[in-house]
Amino acid sequence: MWISTMNVSMLDQVAVGSGASLVNLVVHAILVGAIAATLRDLADTDTSFPGFVQYTLVIVATGTLLVIGHFGECVIWAYTYKWVGAVPENTDLIYFAFGNYTTLGYGDVVPVPEWHLLGPMTALNGVMLIGWSTALVYDMLHRSVRTPKQQG
């Protein structure tokens, strides 16, 4: 535990939550950039795969990479909670982070009162990054569909 749970101010909570959010934003930007660049290169190559197969591969590859990325982002939040001692002892940190990140929040585990803002900050970060992923999937699928003019 890095920060004592005594005398934790709102500013401390916002600083820690903003730091974790920023790290996740950078991780997600790198992931989305790599996916977009790879798919752009794939679209520029002449392929012998039928459009349906290429379309399916784009969906599966993009979805798989994004799920892995979101899992990693939840792990960053879990380590953040551990680092500051934001949850009760013996809490499954990954479970807690996923619940907050996805806004599911079962309510069976709550942060210690001194760190209560980290849950909503995790949720805000998760909503933003999941929305960004959704936009990427939509854009990539939209671009990967070959129109008769593009098929030449």
Side-chain angles (χ1 to χ4, degrees):
M1 182 176 357
W2 176 72
I3 298 176
S4 168
T5 56
M6 302 295 208
N7 301 320
V8 176
S9 71
M10 185 181 297
L11 184 59
D12 293 330
Q13 295 177 72
V14 170
V16 168
S18 296
S21 292
L22 181 61
V23 169
N24 277 337
L25 185 64
V26 170
V27 166
H28 209 75
I30 291 168
L31 176 64
V32 167
I35 291 170
T38 301
L39 292 176
R40 186 175 41 251
D41 291 345
L42 179 68
D44 290 340
T45 61
D46 184 28
T47 180
S48 59
F49 289 114
F52 174 76
V53 172
Q54 191 174 21
Y55 187 77
T56 302
L57 290 173
V58 167
I59 293 170
V60 172
T62 302
T64 301
L65 292 172
L66 288 172
V67 167
I68 291 167
H70 286 293
F71 179 80
E73 291 154 8
C74 286
V75 169
I76 290 168
W77 277 107
Y79 276 106
T80 300
Y81 301 147
K82 182 177 181 176
W83 181 51
V84 298
V87 292
E89 222 174 291
N90 299 320
T91 297
D92 182 342
L93 295 171
I94 300 292
Y95 169 79
F96 182 68
F98 258 106
N100 285 323
Y101 187 86
T102 61
T103 72
L104 184 59
Y106 281 110
D108 56 340
V109 181
V110 294
V112 296
E114 295 84 5
W115 290 101
H116 69 278
L117 284 179
L118 287 187
M121 291 185 80
T122 305
L124 179 61
N125 184 238
V127 166
M128 182 179 72
L129 297 180
I130 291 168
W132 188 3
S133 294
T134 302
L136 172 74
V137 169
Y138 174 81
D139 185 58
M140 290 297 115
L141 293 177
H142 180 73
R143 290 172 188 254
S144 69
V145 175
R146 292 188 230 155
T147 63
K149 187 176 182 181
Q150 291 172 324
Q151 292 175 0

